[in-house]
Amino acid sequence: MSEYHIPVLLDESVSSLVTNPSGTYIDATFGGGGHSAEILSRLSADGKLIAFDRDSDAIANRLDDKRLVLIHNNFRFVHNFAQLEAHRAARDIRSCEVDGILADLGVSSHQFDTADRGFSFRYDAPLDMRMNTRAELSADTIVNEYEQEDIERILRIYGEVDNSRKAAALIVAARQKGRIGTTGELDAALKPLLPPYVEHKYLAKVYQALRIEVNQEMRSLEKFLEGAVRSLKPGGRLVVITYQSLEDRMVKNFIKSGNIDGTVVKDVYGNVQTPLTAVNRKPILPKESEIALNTRARSAKLRVAEKTEGGAKGRNS
């Protein structure tokens, strides 16, 4: 396995995930294979791991282990492929439930550090930001072809960018003089809004917003969470590592209520109906020693939930 990505909260996440060494698990975000390798190290010869990634670079970084099935696709289809693997193993497709599912959200170290992928403003590179390099939509298309109000909405909602309306106006004004084709040209267009000495913080929000839109991350996360619940067996664990407030709020709401809005549904007796129970009421955070070695860990939060018997649990709120 090459040095592709430094896994965050490695021991904490895998220890929370693996409860049955002979079970079947899913790593929904394979990346550099760090979490997958640790999961496999804790499984017996009868254990199995299904891993997903939509990035071709990650797929090329596969691990050599017969217990691993690596799928080149978006983790939003987790339930479809869990069913497919059950069928391939000659099991009843209705018994495709797995013992645990792990997702490490966000961008991998490799994606940030590969200049021509366009994920980082540290490099002057083409505006790309596609996790799946076969996808049609790129950051270039958004910046140069989206309507101003749509760019403003993306920056405001996905990046919580200050002065998002002004930022969108600056982008549109710049592209009227010529197509904005690189990260450097985008940074230059936004220069009047960049606060002195902390330009990187503003640009980080802009790049996050564009990346989320390019890869439809919020929609994929919603579909993943819905599919994960359907794929887990009662008592199975859902383990998710988040890095920004939008995705963390979505995961927290889903664990609480079974939907991304956090809308609590009760039965006729007033019991809350939700398919998951939080294992850790507060998110697990990286230790200072880990943050010192891996700055990406600074914003990481680990949430763990367990599927309730029958997929829903009645409890008084």
Side-chain angles (χ1 to χ4, degrees), residues 9-315:
L9 289 160
L10 179 62
D11 181 67
E12 294 90 340
S13 61
V14 178
S15 294
S16 299
L17 179 75
V18 179
T19 57
N20 173 19
S22 298
T24 299
Y25 293 87
I26 293 176
D27 181 355
T29 49
F30 181 75
H35 285 105
S36 283
E38 184 63 22
I39 293 168
L40 289 166
S41 75
R42 303 191 190 199
L43 297 184
S44 69
D46 298 325
K48 183 176 182 179
L49 178 64
I50 303 168
F52 289 78
D53 212 292
R54 52 179 156 176
D55 192 330
S56 299
D57 288 353
I59 298 300
N61 204 44
R62 68 174 300 123
L63 303 171
D64 184 15
D65 193 306
K66 64 181 182 180
R67 297 170 297 171
L68 172 66
V69 176
L70 185 55
I71 297 169
H72 188 190
N73 217 312
N74 192 317
F75 71 170
R76 68 187 296 167
F77 302 114
V78 60
H79 184 63
N80 305 67
F81 282 97
Q83 288 182 310
L84 178 61
E85 289 307 314
H87 178 71
R88 286 176 174 171
R91 300 196 306 269
D92 188 335
I93 195 169
R94 293 169 296 180
S95 63
C96 64
E97 297 166 320
V98 300
D99 295 86
I101 301 175
L102 168 69
D104 180 8
L105 305 179
V107 182
S108 72
S109 306
H110 172 79
Q111 289 167 332
F112 271 130
D113 294 339
T114 304
D116 59 8
R117 299 295 296 273
F119 282 100
S120 176
F121 51 82
R122 290 180 292 155
Y123 312 103
D124 188 11
L127 277 173
D128 194 327
M129 303 191 194
R130 293 173 298 168
M131 291 181 179
N132 177 1
T133 55
R134 300 176 299 179
E136 292 184 8
L137 181 62
S138 70
D140 183 291
T141 303
I142 296 170
V143 167
N144 289 287
E145 299 178 19
Y146 273 31
E147 297 292 336
Q148 181 173 319
E149 56 266 30
D150 291 328
I151 296 175
E152 186 274 331
R153 173 184 53 80
I154 291 165
L155 297 180
R156 173 172 47 83
I157 295 176
Y158 293 155
E160 299 178 321
V161 175
D162 296 332
N163 299 315
S164 56
R165 181 173 298 179
K166 178 63 174 176
L170 286 173
I171 290 172
V172 171
R175 76 189 192 190
Q176 290 174 348
K177 301 175 184 177
R179 192 172 187 87
I180 301 173
T182 68
T183 56
E185 291 168 353
L186 176 60
D187 299 350
L190 295 170
K191 189 172 183 180
L193 283 179
L194 301 183
Y197 308 111
V198 287
E199 297 95 335
H200 63 286
K201 291 186 177 180
Y202 190 93
L203 289 173
K205 293 181 178 181
V206 171
Y207 278 61
Q208 172 184 295
L210 293 174
R211 188 200 79 221
I212 289 174
E213 174 69 12
V214 167
N215 298 288
Q216 298 293 296
E217 292 178 35
M218 295 299 100
R219 180 60 174 162
S220 291
L221 178 55
E222 178 182 2
K223 300 301 290 184
F224 161 73
L225 292 170
E226 293 171 351
V229 166
R230 295 175 66 193
S231 302
L232 285 169
K233 63 176 57 174
R237 293 286 181 88
L238 174 65
V239 179
V240 185
I241 304 171
T242 68
Y243 295 90
Q244 44 98 346
S245 60
L246 291 177
E247 62 192 16
D248 186 63
R249 188 181 308 120
M250 184 180 290
V251 173
K252 179 181 178 181
N253 284 344
F254 195 87
I255 292 173
K256 173 187 174 183
S257 64
N259 59 75
I260 62 170
D261 299 320
T263 303
V264 173
V265 178
K266 299 182 180 180
D267 64 16
V268 294
Y269 303 104
N271 296 312
V272 176
Q273 298 296 292
T274 175
L276 297 169
T277 298
V279 173
N280 55 321
R281 294 296 177 180
K282 293 184 178 180
I284 299 170
L285 305 178
K287 298 179 178 67
E288 289 298 325
S289 56
E290 180 175 9
I291 294 173
L293 295 173
N294 184 2
T295 56
R296 185 171 178 264
R298 185 178 295 119
S299 58
K301 294 180 180 180
L302 172 65
R303 295 190 182 273
V304 183
E306 192 170 278
K307 185 172 179 178
T308 55
E309 191 70 33
K313 179 181 180 182
R315 55 183 172 87

